[in-house]
Amino acid sequence: MLLLLLLGVGLVGSTQYRPVASKTVYDAFRGDVTDVKFECSTDRLFFLARHGSRNFGTKAVPRMRTFLEKLNVAVSQGKVTSLPWYDTWTRATYPANYDLVSEGMFEHYTIGKRYFTALPHLFPLPYTPEGYSLRSTTKTRAVQSGLSFMYGVLNGTGPLGPASTARDHITLNGYLPPAINMTKPDRQLRFMDSCPRYRAYLADEGWKKEAQLFEESSDVEGVVKAVSGRLGMELDLNSTKAIYYLCANEMMSPSQSHGSKFCDLLKDEDLVVLDFMKDLEKYHKYSYSYPVTYQMSCLLLGHVIETMEDSTDGSPVLMFAHEETVVPLFTLLGLYRDTKPLTHDMPNYKDRIFKTSHIAPFAANIAFVRMNCTAGTRIKILVNEHVVIPPLCDQDAGCSVEDLKEILKTGAGTCEFDSICGVEEDDGSSPFSAIRLALALLITVTLIQSTYIFFHCIKRCPARRMAGENAYSMSGGEPLLEDD
């Protein structure tokens, strides 16, 4: 097992998984909370997770489909003969959305079961909405992840299932649907949406530079040539990325990929290169590259601290969100930091600490477990069911609440969110000021034009005025644009 991990290969049961950056399946490199030793009595849990495995969305899926069309032509013309399975393969549909796949629901279901097995007393039964703080973002994949986790906790305690056959024959050995809370805007779980300074950072796209420079490297060129040779078809980088995504999909969702074998085209050394290419993006987008990217998660860490300090409430806090939620929090805690920033020309990038395949796969999670020890309250922290100790905590005794406060202060000061994110700044120099000015001008011009058209029509087009309610597009309900 140790050799497999050093090679970047995960093994759970009889299934071997390989790293594909943040599209890696959770089981590839996870630990097991049921094997964790808690030295003192435990009395509270704070748990935050990324959603489970999902469809690849509107950017990756079109690239996959485009490559498959080219491959179909090449196979039909007899130019590609290296895929003996392809002729009988039932092509997958690959939905271009971000919904969970079945395996993503199962990931969170099994995580919930393991946490309940390890710490059953931290999940109060019988269930009441007041006994749990269950929360997600408004994204469907996050909601489904939270409900799947709770299925692992509550299954066998509710009325839903085949054993309940009628109103007068309801048993409580089925599923109990829990209440899940959402709010919008959400400065704890979707802090990036409420942070103008971060949105400006993304819009500038400077965070892409290192990844783009690496794409031009001889390492990436070598991967493209090697994969082209194995396939017997000349590829560009986009097509190579498509194969990378197709490989990720077949590990993520066997039920969706219908037994494809695109991973056979990628050697372990290819994945090392392609993973680093993706991690350069993730590092500069979500982690140590720009302080605001992690400082804006300070309200979330503040919530952790408040939960760990509150001795009057023992209810578990369970939150379900996104990669862009968990990675900034990891960063604020000082976890997974390399000695130097990740750059396109860094030597020995294979040995870097920041690997999203290990720290931010689908269903990535972090748990804070409060322990009552003779020396005081200690916080055991687990990332993906592995015990971790942030650098500012006692490396032998673990974290105290005071340690977490010091981490927050060191990383984000007093956590003035509006100041960190530039919410109150409006001196006319920021890009958001320019956007607001442009919108104001656009609205003004539109109102002037609408007023002119209205009065012009009153004078000159009574027939149109009488037929106004019929002047709509049959296809979309939009007003017809008529020449003046």
Side-chain angles (χ1 to χ4, degrees):
M1 175 64 78
L2 177 60
L3 178 61
L4 289 171
L5 289 175
L6 290 174
L7 292 173
V9 177
L11 188 65
V12 174
S14 60
T15 303
Q16 178 176 306
Y17 298 107
R18 302 165 75 193
V20 278
S22 61
K23 289 181 172 58
T24 303
V25 299
Y26 181 68
D27 279 346
F29 302 108
R30 69 166 174 84
D32 190 328
V33 65
T34 63
D35 294 332
V36 173
K37 180 182 178 182
F38 295 93
E39 296 81 3
C40 315
S41 63
T42 57
D43 66 357
R44 195 152 198 206
L45 169 68
F46 186 108
F47 179 87
L48 168 71
R50 181 191 180 193
H51 58 76
S53 294
R54 59 157 173 79
N55 293 320
F56 288 174
T58 57
K59 293 183 179 179
V61 170
R63 183 173 286 164
M64 294 158 61
R65 291 174 177 172
T66 298
F67 165 72
L68 288 174
E69 293 304 323
K70 294 178 180 178
L71 182 61
N72 282 339
V73 173
V75 170
S76 65
Q77 293 177 348
K79 296 180 179 179
V80 170
T81 59
S82 58
L83 304 175
W85 55 270
Y86 192 81
D87 285 337
T88 57
W89 178 54
T90 301
R91 178 171 165 177
T93 55
Y94 304 115
N97 58 45
Y98 297 89
D99 294 342
L100 288 192
V101 294
S102 298
E103 290 83 354
M105 301 176 194
F106 186 75
E107 284 169 338
H108 274 291
Y109 168 71
T110 54
I111 295 170
K113 287 188 68 175
R114 286 193 297 275
Y115 264 92
F116 182 73
T117 299
L119 301 163
H121 55 288
L122 300 187
F123 298 90
L125 295 175
Y127 166 83
T128 64
E130 297 77 20
Y132 287 75
S133 176
L134 177 60
R135 183 168 148 201
S136 78
T137 70
T138 59
K139 303 296 183 181
T140 301
R141 56 192 178 275
V143 177
Q144 289 179 317
S145 295
L147 295 176
S148 298
F149 179 96
M150 290 302 293
Y151 191 8
V153 173
L154 299 177
N155 191 28
T157 67
L160 303 183
S164 295
T165 58
R167 293 183 67 87
D168 58 353
H169 192 277
I170 292 177
T171 62
L172 297 180
N173 58 358
Y175 177 52
L176 178 65
I180 189 164
N181 298 306
M182 292 166 277
T183 184
K184 192 174 182 180
D186 189 335
R187 286 187 168 191
Q188 290 182 2
L189 295 183
R190 293 286 304 181
F191 39 77
M192 67 296 297
D193 294 341
S194 300
C195 191
R197 187 169 287 157
Y198 179 68
R199 306 303 294 182
Y201 171 71
L202 293 186
D204 179 65
E205 296 194 345
W207 55 274
K208 294 182 179 180
K209 180 180 178 181
E210 292 297 331
Q212 291 170 340
L213 288 171
F214 186 69
E215 288 181 356
E216 300 170 359
S217 70
S218 58
D219 286 6
V220 174
E221 181 182 359
V223 170
V224 174
K225 287 183 178 179
V227 179
S228 297
R230 292 182 206 114
L231 182 59
M233 173 181 171
E234 185 174 352
L235 302 172
D236 58 12
L237 180 56
N238 280 335
S239 294
T240 305
K241 287 181 179 179
I243 294 172
Y244 179 70
Y245 295 141
L246 288 162
C247 171
N249 183 274
E250 65 193 37
M251 287 187 288
M252 174 196 76
S253 182
S255 66
Q256 185 183 90
S257 58
H258 298 165
S260 68
K261 297 180 180 179
F262 289 104
C263 285
D264 291 348
L265 296 170
L266 298 170
K267 302 300 183 184
D268 288 343
E269 55 267 29
D270 301 327
L271 292 176
V272 168
V273 175
L274 296 175
D275 267 21
F276 181 61
M277 181 176 65
K278 295 303 295 182
D279 280 358
L280 280 171
E281 283 189 10
K282 302 295 185 178
Y283 178 89
H284 291 281
K285 188 177 184 181
Y286 299 137
S287 194
Y288 290 102
S289 181
Y290 180 51
V292 170
T293 60
Y294 57 87
Q295 290 174 346
M296 63 182 175
S297 69
C298 67
L299 294 176
L300 178 56
L301 181 54
H303 186 30
V304 173
I305 294 170
E306 290 172 0
T307 301
M308 295 294 103
E309 278 191 311
D310 187 354
S311 60
T312 65
D313 186 355
S315 62
V317 177
L318 311 170
M319 308 180 86
F320 298 86
H322 308 273
E323 178 187 13
E324 57 266 39
T325 310
V326 297
V327 174
L329 180 61
F330 294 165
T331 306
L332 183 59
L333 289 167
L335 299 171
Y336 312 114
R337 185 169 195 167
D338 290 87
T339 55
K340 294 182 179 180
L342 270 58
T343 58
H344 71 282
D345 56 354
M346 68 181 294
N348 303 317
Y349 56 76
K350 178 181 179 180
D351 300 323
R352 70 191 181 280
I353 298 172
F354 185 91
K355 293 182 178 180
T356 56
S357 58
H358 289 64
I359 67 176
F362 287 126
N365 56 80
I366 182 168
F368 300 81
V369 183
R370 186 172 68 191
M371 302 186 300
N372 290 313
C373 304
T374 55
T377 299
R378 310 305 296 182
I379 313 298
K380 188 176 285 289
I381 303 175
L382 294 83
V383 171
N384 303 331
E385 300 176 65
H386 296 284
V387 175
V388 299
I389 302 177
L392 291 183
C393 291
D394 187 310
Q395 296 302 296
D396 294 320
C399 290
S400 67
V401 173
E402 293 305 314
D403 289 334
L404 293 181
K405 289 181 178 179
E406 185 61 28
I407 289 172
L408 179 60
K409 181 180 178 181
T410 301
T414 57
C415 189
E416 298 293 335
F417 186 87
D418 287 355
S419 177
I420 291 170
C421 289
V423 173
E424 300 299 329
E425 292 181 1
D426 191 11
D427 60 2
S429 61
S430 74
F432 291 92
S433 297
I435 292 171
R436 283 193 290 270
L437 178 60
L439 287 173
L441 290 173
L442 178 61
I443 292 170
T444 301
V445 171
T446 303
L447 287 173
I448 293 172
Q449 289 178 332
S450 299
T451 303
Y452 170 78
I453 292 171
F454 175 76
F455 284 106
H456 180 76
C457 191
I458 287 178
K459 294 180 179 179
R460 298 182 56 183
C461 49
R464 293 181 188 176
R465 188 169 70 248
M466 292 295 294
E469 63 182 10
N470 295 321
Y472 290 87
S473 164
M474 293 293 290
S475 61
E478 295 293 331
L480 293 173
L481 298 178
E482 300 180 346
D483 294 332
D484 185 27

